[in-house]
Amino acid sequence: MKSLEIIWQRSLTAFMSRFKSFSNLKVSLTYKFTVMFVMILMGAFLISHLLQLEDFRKNLFPIGLGFFSASLLFTILFIKFFLLPIKKLAWATEQMAKGGWIQIDKIRSKDEIGDLIESFNQMAVQIKEMKENLEKKVAERTQQLEENIEELNRARISALRLAEDLQYAKRELEMVNRELKEADEAKMKFIGMASHELKTPLTAIKANVDFILSGKGGKVPEDLRSHLLTIQRNTNRIQETMDHMLDLTLIKSGHLIIDQEPILLSEVVGGYTHELKPVDKNLTIQIDIPKDLTVYADRNRLHDIFFNLLSNAFKFTPEGGTVFIRASQQNDRILHEIRDTGIGIPEDKIQKIFEEFYQVHEGKYGGTGLGLSIAKRVIEEHGGRIWVESTPGKGSVFYFTLPAFKERDDGKCIPPQ
């Protein structure tokens, strides 16, 4: 009996020392449970065998039973102690999921649970820092966004005011343009009516002066001839002005009629030069036009084009100068060239000479300033174009193109497309 007590005391002392060292080690949680479970089984096994001894049942049974109960109680307390950090971890995780920040108090557990809680606390600190940084950035971005929105609102208000100003300016401009258009139409209407009304008596005056100067009604005294020539020259100038005014009104109103037909240039250009060549100036006229070169144009308007361009060439070419007239076919176009050895055009005025009423020499040589403008519009109505090259002191070259007339294989003529 005494030997059993000694064995029990030694076993209990060894168990307690083993458990104390066991609890201080950082060992696997699975290993702890395994050892605890084995110890409980061993205790139960030992008690079951000791119960078979008569002396143990009589004297030591209460002690063994108490030991077993203490072991069972210890196991329950151990499990409860183990579940406590798990409950805390679950509760902290739930709080963080709801948006809170929780850090678990340090628990003296040297197993996986302790490592997990330590990692959880580190993660919680990192999440807190990340959340603070994110909130700071969100606040900065929000402030910047508010500033941008405020700036955009100011810009929108400025844009709306600018749009209102532009709309007002547009309405004012449209009103002014409408008034100018109405005034221009009234002016053109008046010019057309005045030109038409003046042309009838002017034609009668010119016809009578031409008849008197022809000598068909009798010999004209020499002292009257010079006066009649002055009347004839000014009558021709006034008639040219009236023709320009009428052409301008037709162009402005969109009533300029172009009736195109095939025209042999060699047959008409000679007549133009004979009609316009000045009698009081010695000029050389050279013509280089192929005899079969046919242009597709309005006959009257072709006369107007050459009339305006040749009038300028003869007017601005000095005594003894030369005027060249050339034409050649370039694919489906005919290129015309009128070159003179006159005074030329300053470079800064070349781009303006086709404007209405513009005069390079400001009326020094007479004219209305409409000839080149009308010629340009008539050429463009034919589908061509006009341009000029000039050197002051050496002369000018006017180029313009008109459609060429094509002939089919069967001999019939068709206009160009």
Side-chain angles (χ1 to χ4, degrees):
M1 183 69 180
K2 187 176 182 179
S3 61
L4 289 174
E5 291 178 359
I6 295 172
I7 293 172
W8 172 252
Q9 290 178 356
R10 288 179 180 178
S11 299
L12 182 61
T13 302
F15 173 78
M16 293 303 293
S17 63
R18 292 288 183 90
F19 181 77
K20 183 177 181 181
S21 60
F22 168 76
S23 62
N24 291 329
L25 290 174
K26 185 177 180 181
V27 295
S28 171
L29 186 64
T30 304
Y31 179 73
K32 287 182 178 181
F33 273 106
T34 302
V35 172
M36 183 63 64
F37 181 71
V38 170
M39 290 176 67
I40 293 173
L41 289 178
M42 288 178 64
F45 179 76
L46 179 61
I47 292 173
S48 64
H49 281 277
L50 289 176
L51 289 175
Q52 296 176 6
L53 300 176
E54 185 66 23
D55 292 338
F56 179 79
R57 288 197 302 268
K58 294 180 178 179
N59 301 314
L60 297 179
F61 177 75
I63 297 174
L65 183 61
F67 173 78
F68 179 76
S69 300
S71 299
L72 182 62
L73 178 62
F74 178 79
T75 303
I76 294 172
L77 293 175
F78 176 81
I79 294 173
K80 185 176 181 180
F81 176 77
F82 166 73
L83 291 177
L84 179 61
I86 295 179
K87 289 182 178 180
K88 288 185 177 181
L89 182 62
W91 178 78
T93 304
E94 182 179 358
Q95 294 301 316
M96 290 189 67
K98 293 179 180 179
W101 181 81
I102 299 297
Q103 191 172 16
I104 303 174
D105 296 336
K106 190 171 183 180
I107 298 176
R108 295 180 181 179
S109 179
K110 298 182 179 180
D111 51 18
E112 289 90 339
I113 298 299
D115 294 340
L116 181 60
I117 291 175
E118 184 67 22
S119 299
F120 178 84
N121 287 334
Q122 293 178 0
M123 180 188 70
V125 173
Q126 293 177 355
I127 291 175
K128 181 181 179 182
E129 293 176 352
M130 292 174 61
K131 181 180 179 182
E132 291 176 351
N133 292 333
L134 183 60
E135 290 177 349
K136 183 179 179 181
K137 291 182 179 180
V138 169
E140 293 175 353
R141 295 293 187 273
T142 302
Q143 183 179 0
Q144 184 178 3
L145 180 60
E146 291 176 352
E147 293 175 354
N148 292 338
I149 292 174
E150 185 178 356
E151 185 177 354
L152 287 174
N153 287 332
R154 290 196 298 267
R156 183 178 64 85
I157 293 173
S158 299
L160 290 175
R161 290 176 180 174
L162 180 60
E164 291 177 358
D165 294 340
L166 288 176
Q167 287 293 334
Y168 177 77
K170 180 182 178 182
R171 289 193 296 268
E172 290 291 323
L173 184 60
E174 289 176 349
M175 182 178 67
V176 173
N177 286 336
R178 186 165 54 251
E179 293 176 354
L180 288 175
K181 185 178 180 180
E182 292 174 356
D184 189 62
E185 290 176 353
K187 180 184 68 176
M188 290 296 103
K189 184 177 180 180
F190 171 78
I191 290 175
M193 292 176 60
S195 300
H196 181 74
E197 293 296 328
L198 290 174
K199 190 171 184 180
T200 301
L202 185 65
T203 303
I205 294 172
K206 185 178 182 304
N208 284 286
V209 172
D210 291 342
F211 177 77
I212 294 172
L213 288 175
S214 67
K216 295 180 179 180
K219 186 177 180 180
V220 180
E222 292 297 327
D223 57 339
L224 294 178
R225 177 173 291 275
S226 61
H227 297 292
L228 291 172
L229 289 173
T230 301
I231 295 173
Q232 185 186 49
R233 183 169 58 254
N234 286 280
T235 303
N236 291 335
R237 189 179 66 177
I238 295 173
Q239 184 177 18
E240 178 184 348
T241 301
M242 294 296 103
D243 291 339
H244 284 167
M245 292 296 183
L246 289 172
D247 289 340
L248 181 62
T249 56
L250 291 174
I251 292 172
K252 289 286 188 178
S253 63
H255 295 155
L256 183 65
I257 299 175
I258 303 295
D259 186 13
Q260 293 173 272
E261 60 177 294
I263 303 172
L264 281 173
L265 278 177
S266 59
E267 293 183 355
V268 296
V269 171
Y272 300 156
T273 58
H274 180 74
E275 176 186 355
L276 297 171
K277 182 178 180 181
V279 295
D280 56 348
K281 187 187 298 186
N282 184 22
L283 298 177
T284 301
I285 300 175
Q286 296 183 1
I287 300 176
D288 181 14
I289 298 176
K291 293 184 178 181
D292 58 346
L293 193 61
T294 304
V295 65
Y296 189 66
D298 184 293
R299 187 173 295 273
N300 294 327
R301 298 307 172 188
L302 183 65
H303 172 272
D304 294 340
I305 295 171
F306 274 95
F307 182 88
N308 290 319
L309 296 178
L310 288 177
S311 295
N312 286 339
F314 294 151
K315 182 190 300 184
F316 296 111
T317 301
E319 180 74 21
T322 304
V323 175
F324 302 89
I325 304 172
R326 294 190 179 93
S328 61
Q329 186 162 348
Q330 307 288 335
N331 297 323
D332 60 344
R333 301 285 168 180
I334 293 180
L335 175 64
H336 303 77
E337 175 186 341
I338 298 178
R339 181 189 301 268
D340 63 61
T341 57
I343 60 177
I345 305 170
E347 184 177 357
D348 60 332
K349 296 184 178 181
I350 287 181
Q351 299 299 325
K352 299 179 181 180
I353 61 173
F354 295 107
E355 296 178 2
E356 295 174 4
F357 301 105
Y358 182 79
Q359 291 180 306
V360 175
H361 302 284
E362 299 180 354
K364 181 179 178 180
Y365 292 88
T368 61
L370 290 172
L372 292 178
S373 174
I374 292 173
K376 180 176 182 295
R377 293 295 297 271
V378 171
I379 291 171
E380 290 175 349
E381 289 293 328
H382 281 80
R385 67 187 188 96
I386 183 172
W387 67 98
V388 61
E389 296 175 359
S390 183
T391 303
K394 294 185 178 180
S396 304
V397 186
F398 283 84
Y399 300 94
F400 67 95
T401 60
L402 292 175
F405 192 81
K406 295 182 179 180
E407 190 174 41
R408 294 194 312 198
D409 296 336
D410 58 3
K412 294 182 179 181
C413 296
I414 58 172
Q417 299 296 326

